[in-house]
Every structure is written in structure tokens, then in C-alpha cells.
Amino acid sequence: MDTTAHNLIDDVWNALKEVTDPELDEPLTALGFVREVRCRQNSVQVTLALPTYWCAPNFAYLMMEDLREAIRRLPWVRDIQITLRDHESADALNQAIDRDVSFQHAFADATDDLAPLRRAFAEKAFYARQKRWLDAIQAATHTSAKDWTPGRVKDVEEWALAHPSVAPLWRRYQASAVRQGVDLLSPDAPVVVDGQGRPIMPDVWERHWRYLSLITLNMDANAHLCRGLFGARYDPGRPRPSIPGPLAPKQATD
Amino acid sequence: MYKTDDGDEIFVVDGHVALWDGSVANQKNRHGAEFIECFYDYHRNLSPESWIWPHDKFLKYDEDTFIRDVFEMGYVDVAIFQPVGLVEFYKEPFGNVAKNYQLAQKYPGRFIGNGYFDPRDGEAGLERLEEWAAQYHLQGVKLYTAEWHGDSKGYRLSDPWAERYLAKCLQLGIRNIHVHKGPTIKPLNMDAFDVSDIDAAASNFPDLNFIVEHVGLPRLEAFCWIATQEPNVYAGLAVANAFIHTRPRYFAQIISELLYWLDEDRILFGSDYALWHPKWLIDEFMAFELPDDIAQETGVTLTRDIKKKILGLNAARLYNIDVPTHQAKLQKDAISQRLRQAG
């Protein structure tokens, strides 16, 4: 293995590509939220920033936990430090991730672990990917999804993989199905299913389609807002805010 | 009042305005600074370039600026104050019920001044709500479920104390409950933006109206689902409105989904002033047409009659404003006189 710092840094960035914002289902690296990676021998330091000071700390915890786990999978890494900056719960979150403390132990008023939250986000990502794949088929075939009868994997997979505008979205949909525990690999598995793998029947197809539309619209609008806020917050031309930084000089009377 | 090119006069109620004090002098701590900075990022992010305010003006603006922007430039006939106290972050409340009331007194008929409550204030808060209801003639309250309170960092409308406060509202004739699902922090293990508690509250209090600000974004799908179940749930357009400039297609999709899942009688315009200026929002909204493909997919239309309902008639109904009588009264006030002079 090449151990020059430069290649190690690339190695880390590569690993981080897999980590998504759970609400937006987009890689943190593509969103620009990962600000910096530093490596020294077997130690990795990652700096994370979010669109607002108020982003929900449980969402932040999920992201930081996923970042840590992605880096842990690199065989050469010994120490990991994930630092969230400019956030109301930064200290508590940074400590919890550093010491491998669960969310409900780090935050006194948390009543449960984050597994249900993780599942809820995973299911939304699954539906969003289903919709984006169906949209790509509509565009490629110039047909309307309203006129389709949802088929099985064997009916669509070969066709999907042969169309460059559809293939990557099919793969993404399949990947989220695996995470969801839904079978989208067997030839006889139905392709348009709910989050538990139950096929969507023709009588609820219209309703299902509207629900998928809402899920993706919400995600897109939210992503637009988050990117915009992030851009405004870290815009180099932003007027100087009135925020006392952690290193602001203390008044003599303090 | 917005006048169309063909002479149609449209009554405008801005369902969400504020006269806040986010100034450095009023900030109690770093959180107060961060709160207004976050607002400023929203403002800069979604406003057209020429409507962006200087930073210092945004922190605190005066009454004359408000009156000119909202009523004289911004077409608004009646504005509804939706204050949030944020007393953990600011020395004087960020949104100040008493100050709002003073301004409303100077311009009769121009304002509806809502109050707020925090269920974590217990019995003392119930008493204060009663006092405010009598003193300020409250018809509505703004609830910010993400507000900090001691060690607590948020609450849900289904909490037992929240239910007691809602029962008190009903008793006091406070019918309109505006709910802002901010980036709540509690319950910490759950989805911070979850809107399911509104479902429970709306079922338990069928005689109260629940106006969900920001149409539940970023949980639009859950909000739409709840609104189809509960006839007393309304969509407040603040924030969603502002997409009309930077992302008109998202705005088209959002408004068409709302028309599909709710109906044209349950959608309310709100600028969220001073986050966004009502003038450009209303100009762009009146000029807006749904793209054909979106109209086709949802099967809805956005006619002028529907725009009239969204811009004013729906809010007028919730706040018992008789539009022709009210318009006649406003015609004689100082603001209308100035507008006529200006031509």
C-alpha cells in the first residue's frame, strides 16, 4: 500500500463518497458538507459542516456515525476524529462520536436509539429512488407511468441495463432495496413494491404514484433549501456576522 | 390591495409577518446571534438579488419600514403577526406581543396580532395566556415547537400540557393555532420535523383550526396525508412561497400537490416578512401559471379565483373578516390616503 499522505487523503475521500445525508439521500461529499480531510500516519481527521447551526442533532449524529464507520473500513486506519463545527450541539456530538457513545447516552433527554429514525429515512430514500428510476423509464420510452402494468425483475432488468439513462438509477434503486431487505434481485420479484416488498396493485397504483411524487418533491425542495443555506452560510462574501467565536477576546471585566 | 391590469381588485391578507428585534444589543447569547444569522441566510438564499437587505437592517428594522414595505409597497390589506418569543436567546422577546399590539393600535384594521404560548410554562403560562387573550383580544397563537426552554429543547402538540393549553384556547375563543415545525431537537430519538402530533391535536380539537406553517416542509408528504384526514388542518405557504423565484418548478409542484391533496379553501399566503418581501412574492404569484405537464399530472388548475382565495379570502374566513365592509373601512385610513396620493 502506498502510504504517502496524499494517497491516504484520496483513500479517505473515496470511502466517504458512500456516506449520504439521510434526509436528502445525496453523498455528503457532493453536498460540500465534508470540509476537510487530514491524515497523519494512521490517524484521520475529518471536518464536517452543516447548512445551519440548528440542524437536528440526531440527523447530525447519523451522518457522523456513518462517516466514522466508512473510515473504519479502511484497513490502515487506527485513529479517527470527526469534528462537526458551527453547531449548537457540536461539543456533545463530537465527544459522543469520538468515544463511541450511543446517541441516547450522549443526550440526556433522548428516550430511544436512532434505529427507527434510520429506518424511516432509508424507506424514504427507497421510494425516492423508485420514483427516479420510473421517471427515467418514462423519459426514455415517451410513455406515461399511469398506463403501465408494473412487472417483474425479469421483465425490466435487461432492458433497464441496456439504456444508459436508466441503468444507473436501476442500480441505485436495487441498492436501496438490499438495504431495505426487499428482494429486487430474483427474476420473479415484483419491481414496483412498497417499503416491505409488497407489490403495488393496479387499484392503488395512482395513489402510490402521487405519494412517490410527494416524497421526491419534498426531498428536492429540501435539498435546494439545504444547498442554498449552506452556500449562504459559507459564502466568502457574506457580511461579517455578529457571532462571538469560541476564541473571541474576553472583556477585561469578565 | 392588488390591482390586476384589467382592473380586478384583490384583497390581500399576509398570514405571516413579524417585527422582530434580533439586534446585537438584544441578543442574550450566541444562540440569539446564530438564530438571526440563520434567518439572514434564508433571506439571502431565496430572495431576488435586488431585494436583499443589508445585514444590520435585517437584524432590526423600524415600524415605518414595516408599514411602507408591507402595506404601501407590498399590496397587503391586513397583516397577521406571528410572534415567537425565543426568550432563552433574547433579552426582550424576539417577537413581542405587546409591541405588536402598540403598532396595531396606531393602524386600526390593519393588523391581527397573534400571541403565543409554551406548554412547558405550566399553570403560570395558562394564566398569562388568559391575560393576553383579554388584553390583546387574541384570535390566534403562533407555536414554535422547536423553542428552547431550560434544558428542554422542544415539545409536541400531543404532550398532556400542550393539550391543556389547546383546551384553554378553545375556552378563550382563540381559534387559530399556527404551528411552526422548526428544526426541533426533541424528541431527540425521532424525526425532528415529524408532524404526526398535529394529526392528534386536530382530531382532539375539531373546533380549532391548525394552520401548519411552511406547509410542513420538509415533511410535505406527511403533512398532505394528515390534511386529507383532518378538515381543520390548513396549509400556510410561508417559505414555500419563496421558491417561486429560485425554483418556480418546485413551487408549481408544491402548490399543485396542495390543491390536489387539500383544496383551494385551505391554503393561506404568508410572506414571512422580513424574511421575504410581500411585493415580489405577490407580483410573481399573480403572474404565475402552472406548467402544462404539472397541471396535467395532478389535474388541478390555479385560476385567478383560486389565487384570490389563497391571497386573502381564506384567511379572512378564519379571522372573521367581512371583506367588503373591511375594505370600505380601510379606504379611509392613513395608509390608503398615502397610497392614493402616490397614485
Side-chain angles (χ1 to χ4, degrees):
Chain A
M1 187 179 68
D2 193 332
T3 54
T4 66
H6 187 69
N7 286 340
L8 293 182
I9 287 174
D10 284 350
D11 211 16
V12 174
W13 278 106
N14 226 10
L16 298 186
K17 276 187 201 155
E18 303 299 315
V19 182
T20 56
D21 178 304
E23 272 192 293
L24 309 179
D25 193 30
E26 285 188 54
L28 294 180
T29 49
L31 289 162
F33 296 173
V34 178
R35 304 303 287 168
E36 193 181 16
V37 172
R38 286 177 168 207
C39 295
R40 182 178 290 172
Q41 294 179 333
N42 304 107
S43 299
V44 177
Q45 295 176 333
V46 173
T47 308
L48 179 72
L50 295 174
T52 78
Y53 180 76
W54 309 99
C55 291
N58 48 358
F59 302 179
Y61 184 92
L62 292 180
M63 293 183 227
M64 294 168 78
E65 191 179 38
D66 289 352
L67 287 171
R68 187 188 63 200
E69 295 314 304
I71 300 167
R72 267 188 188 160
R73 283 193 285 272
L74 297 173
W76 53 269
V77 173
R78 287 260 170 74
D79 302 312
I80 304 169
Q81 191 181 28
I82 314 278
T83 306
L84 171 65
R85 51 179 264 207
D86 311 331
H87 189 276
E88 54 86 9
S89 287
D91 291 346
L93 285 163
N94 290 336
Q95 255 187 37
I97 292 297
D98 186 47
R99 297 178 191 169
D100 228 328
V101 172
S102 73
F103 187 79
Q104 73 263 43
H105 282 100
F107 288 83
D109 48 353
T111 49
D112 201 353
D113 69 10
L114 296 181
L117 182 65
R118 208 179 256 292
R119 276 199 300 278
F121 281 138
E123 187 175 276
K124 282 187 189 184
F126 170 79
Y127 283 129
R129 291 180 183 200
Q130 182 182 95
K131 174 68 161 53
R132 296 190 203 285
W133 169 63
L134 291 170
D135 281 342
I137 299 177
Q138 287 195 115
T141 58
H142 306 288
T143 59
S144 166
K146 283 181 185 164
D147 305 326
W148 300 344
T149 314
R152 299 181 180 278
V153 171
K154 65 184 175 195
D155 305 324
V156 298
E157 183 159 43
E158 198 181 326
W159 181 89
L161 293 177
H163 287 75
S165 63
V166 180
L169 295 165
W170 168 249
R171 288 278 179 235
R172 271 173 64 80
Y173 175 40
Q174 258 182 336
S176 67
V178 169
R179 198 171 53 178
Q180 193 69 11
V182 166
D183 179 16
L184 266 190
L185 300 169
S186 313
D188 282 320
V191 283
V192 181
V193 294
D194 70 10
Q196 282 77 51
R198 293 174 299 222
I200 301 301
M201 294 310 198
D203 60 322
V204 293
W205 172 234
E206 165 81 25
R207 194 79 170 172
H208 181 70
W209 182 259
R210 291 254 55 81
Y211 184 68
L212 293 184
S213 300
L214 270 181
I215 294 258
T216 47
L217 166 61
N218 186 81
M219 212 178 251
D220 291 344
N222 202 16
H224 173 60
L225 204 55
C226 290
R227 281 181 193 277
L229 289 172
F230 190 83
R233 191 176 192 203
Y234 292 106
D235 173 6
R238 194 188 191 295
R240 207 174 68 82
S242 56
I243 295 163
L247 297 177
K250 287 195 169 186
Q251 287 176 5
T253 50
D254 247 6
Chain B
M1 172 118 49
Y2 181 92
K3 256 188 201 159
T4 62
D5 289 341
D6 54 2
D8 205 356
E9 295 185 338
I10 295 177
F11 183 71
V12 177
V13 179
D14 190 334
H16 203 302
V17 300
L19 181 64
W20 64 58
D21 181 359
S23 63
V24 176
N26 193 34
Q27 293 167 9
K28 217 181 227 182
N29 47 36
R30 176 172 179 179
H31 304 312
E34 294 280 5
F35 193 89
I36 193 68
E37 292 304 324
C38 183
F39 265 29
Y40 191 55
D41 286 345
Y42 270 88
H43 167 72
R44 294 201 324 145
N45 179 19
L46 295 180
S47 294
E49 188 98 34
S50 57
W51 288 95
I52 295 175
W53 280 8
H55 181 260
D56 287 351
K57 178 183 175 187
F58 191 82
L59 263 50
K60 188 182 182 183
Y61 44 96
D62 59 26
E63 292 181 359
D64 290 343
T65 304
F66 182 108
I67 298 294
R68 194 190 58 235
D69 284 350
V70 175
F71 297 115
E72 294 177 27
M73 287 176 75
Y75 310 118
V76 175
D77 293 288
V78 176
I80 307 178
F81 275 126
Q82 305 288 3
V84 284
L86 301 176
V87 291
E88 300 269 331
F89 302 164
Y90 295 97
K91 296 167 191 163
E92 290 296 319
F94 181 73
N96 191 323
V97 178
K99 214 167 93 184
N100 292 347
Y101 186 71
Q102 277 170 20
L103 182 60
Q105 292 297 93
K106 288 189 211 163
Y107 296 92
R110 289 288 176 177
F111 287 99
I112 293 164
N114 282 347
Y116 57 82
F117 66 71
D118 187 326
R120 293 160 298 184
D121 288 332
E123 293 289 352
L126 282 173
E127 278 168 34
R128 190 185 66 178
L129 183 61
E130 262 185 46
E131 283 164 24
W132 278 9
Q135 197 175 351
Y136 304 126
H137 314 290
L138 298 185
Q139 297 183 64
V141 285
K142 165 79 185 274
L143 306 181
Y144 181 49
T145 62
E147 187 149 1
W148 289 16
H149 190 281
D151 290 336
S152 162
K153 297 190 173 171
Y155 65 90
R156 290 175 66 73
L157 287 183
S158 46
D159 294 344
W161 269 102
E163 297 220 320
R164 284 191 62 181
Y165 275 74
L166 291 172
K168 177 60 80 180
C169 285
L170 191 59
Q171 186 197 333
L172 296 170
I174 300 170
R175 298 283 298 275
N176 298 311
I177 315 296
H178 294 255
V179 189
H180 175 187
K181 281 290 180 174
T184 50
I185 289 167
K186 202 192 158 192
L188 279 163
N189 53 306
M190 284 182 57
D191 177 354
F193 297 95
D194 180 59
V195 288
S196 61
D197 55 332
I198 295 170
D199 197 359
S203 298
N204 290 340
F205 295 92
D207 293 328
L208 296 178
N209 305 312
F210 291 85
I211 302 96
V212 180
E213 299 301 343
H214 319 153
V215 296
L217 280 171
R219 294 296 175 266
L220 183 65
E221 74 280 1
F223 166 73
C224 285
W225 181 248
I226 289 167
T228 55
Q229 316 287 313
E230 310 293 342
N232 53 335
V233 168
Y234 293 74
L237 276 183
V239 179
N241 282 327
F243 281 125
I244 202 168
H245 183 73
T246 54
R247 281 292 184 281
R249 244 192 108 75
Y250 291 166
F251 176 75
Q253 286 173 295
I254 291 170
I255 201 85
S256 63
E257 292 291 349
L258 293 174
L259 288 166
Y260 175 90
W261 290 88
L262 288 81
D263 54 62
E264 62 199 60
D265 297 320
R266 289 197 282 152
I267 306 172
L268 277 67
F269 168 74
S271 66
D272 229 336
Y273 182 86
L275 274 158
W276 298 288
H277 197 297
K279 171 155 169 60
W280 71 261
L281 286 171
I282 293 172
D283 279 337
E284 294 198 23
F285 181 65
M286 285 308 298
F288 192 77
E289 287 179 29
L290 282 183
D292 287 342
D293 63 317
I294 291 176
Q296 243 169 34
E297 193 178 307
T298 42
V300 302
T301 51
L302 183 59
T303 60
R304 187 183 286 178
D305 280 342
I306 293 176
K307 287 179 177 174
K308 284 183 183 174
K309 288 182 171 185
I310 294 172
L311 279 179
L313 301 181
N314 290 339
R317 200 177 64 249
L318 290 185
Y319 282 90
N320 298 314
I321 296 171
D322 179 65
V323 175
T325 319
H326 205 85
Q327 265 176 321
K329 188 176 145 196
L330 293 182
Q331 275 307 304
K332 295 173 205 135
D333 80 352
I335 290 170
S336 291
Q337 287 172 29
R338 286 203 288 271
L339 278 171
R340 271 196 298 275
Q341 285 304 313

